[in-house]
Amino acid sequence: MLNSLEIRNYRNLKHLRIEKLGRVNLVIGKNNTGKSSLLEAVFFFAKKGALESFYQILSQRNEDLNSEYRMDQVDANVKSLSSLFSNYSAQSNEVVEISVNNHVEEYLNFRLEKIKAYDDLQRKNIETNEFMLVIDFSNHRSYTALLRDPISSLKYFPPRESPDSDSVELVRSFHGLGFSSNIQYPLLYESIALTEKEVTVVEALKIIDSQIDAIAFRTDLKSNQRFPVVRNRTTQRITTLRSMGDGVNRILTIIVAMVNCENGFLLIDEFENGLHYSVQEKLWEVIFELAEQLNIQVFATTHSNDTIQAFTKIANEKQSDGYLIKLRNINGEIDAVVFNEEELQTAAEAEYLDLRL
């Protein structure tokens, strides 16, 4: 579990330091204070700089330019990757650094560099004006990727095994789009079917409808896509989950992801999407319990005061390790104010947590 977090030069986070983190962390703040950027930084660290993580982040923000703009591949990659830096220029040598304390100090950093005229590179027909992505992980791992291929298929040079990934599921949602399709939850659900974790998922769905007693996935014969159905305990009627609204689908996405990332991280952007305020307390209760049982550290963001109030209430009732992190933009610099579970109630009563303040 991460006990502290420091981010340098990542997007609009020129230098953000959070001295203390909890097991469940809710990040709040106005627009353009770096809430989603903070989640992305944790994601990069958890993935230990695996090359596919760069594609995942850039594609989710539609920042992977590729060849549709008829740009040179290297130029397109440099332009795409430069969006990850606070103030990138080809001459700046700016480095993104993500440092954490998890009983031992660890860090991940990455930078874009122009290839120098090393003889060993020239012998391998590599032009010295090309750019490369250099990734370092806690002093003992260093990786280099040439940018001549699309970001989705970058490889290390010389060839190396990709860094191991922690058990991480990234739950992302975007306004107007519901929950993100990057969670392949039919496959995730199969991994816990007929186990106690399946019971946990069904119990979570009862937050929306107490009569749900079973869930399964069926395949659409035309599209070959799988979709969830649930059974009503009283009527034995089978209903598609999509017909029950965004809320129950959102809960399914979150809980299925959570039971599949034991000993890892759960990242939830815009927690409130699709959720009526009346169900949020119960969902936070489930999240706090599962985080403790499965040793998961949760990072979520919100724009909603209903979400803040629900989080605050459950964190206080359970005396759980819940931290609320308020990001503020002060003269262009982002900083953080952290409230632990003991301070949350006082802060809420003083309306300090209201996003409008």
Side-chain angles (χ1 to χ4, degrees), residues 170-208:
L170 181 62
V171 180
R172 308 279 286 175
S173 64
F174 300 91
H175 180 69
L177 296 180
F179 56 87
S180 171
S181 60
N182 73 311
I183 289 293
Q184 301 297 322
Y185 65 99
L187 295 177
L188 294 179
Y189 190 82
E190 286 182 358
S191 70
I192 54 96
L194 303 179
T195 70
E196 287 299 315
K197 290 180 178 179
E198 181 179 36
V199 176
T200 299
V201 174
V202 173
E203 288 299 312
L205 294 180
K206 290 181 180 180
I207 294 173
I208 297 290

Side-chain angles (χ1 to χ4, degrees), residues 254-306:
I254 291 173
I255 301 303
V256 169
M258 197 167 191
V259 297
N260 275 277
C261 60
E262 187 170 358
N263 299 317
F265 302 86
L266 181 71
L267 312 179
I268 310 172
D269 206 9
E270 297 185 13
F271 178 90
E272 69 277 9
N273 279 8
L275 295 173
H276 192 265
Y277 73 91
S278 62
V279 305
Q280 292 194 33
E281 286 184 14
K282 292 181 180 178
L283 181 55
W284 277 120
E285 188 172 0
V286 173
I287 289 173
F288 271 96
E289 290 175 356
L290 286 179
E292 183 68 30
Q293 292 173 18
L294 301 177
N295 187 33
I296 298 169
Q297 190 168 24
V298 179
F299 292 84
T301 72
T302 187
H303 287 101
S304 167
N305 285 315
D306 289 330

Side-chain angles (χ1 to χ4, degrees), residues 113-212:
E113 277 189 4
K114 236 178 184 181
I115 296 174
K116 298 176 183 177
Y118 294 130
D119 289 341
D120 60 331
L121 293 181
Q122 291 178 332
R123 283 197 298 270
K124 292 177 171 58
N125 194 32
I126 296 174
E127 297 179 10
T128 57
N129 64 346
E130 284 193 30
F131 277 82
M132 58 184 178
L133 176 67
V134 182
I135 304 161
D136 298 311
F137 190 82
S138 297
N139 283 324
H140 56 278
R141 290 180 180 174
S142 183
Y143 304 92
T144 300
L146 302 178
L147 300 183
R148 51 174 58 175
D149 296 317
I151 291 174
S152 59
S153 56
L154 290 181
K155 294 180 176 59
Y156 290 114
F157 177 85
R160 315 181 176 206
E161 291 186 6
S162 180
D164 294 333
S165 298
D166 285 352
S167 177
V168 178
E169 294 302 335
L170 181 62
V171 180
R172 308 279 286 175
S173 64
F174 300 91
H175 180 69
L177 296 180
F179 56 87
S180 171
S181 60
N182 73 311
I183 289 293
Q184 301 297 322
Y185 65 99
L187 295 177
L188 294 179
Y189 190 82
E190 286 182 358
S191 70
I192 54 96
L194 303 179
T195 70
E196 287 299 315
K197 290 180 178 179
E198 181 179 36
V199 176
T200 299
V201 174
V202 173
E203 288 299 312
L205 294 180
K206 290 181 180 180
I207 294 173
I208 297 290
D209 186 343
S210 62
Q211 293 299 306
I212 292 175

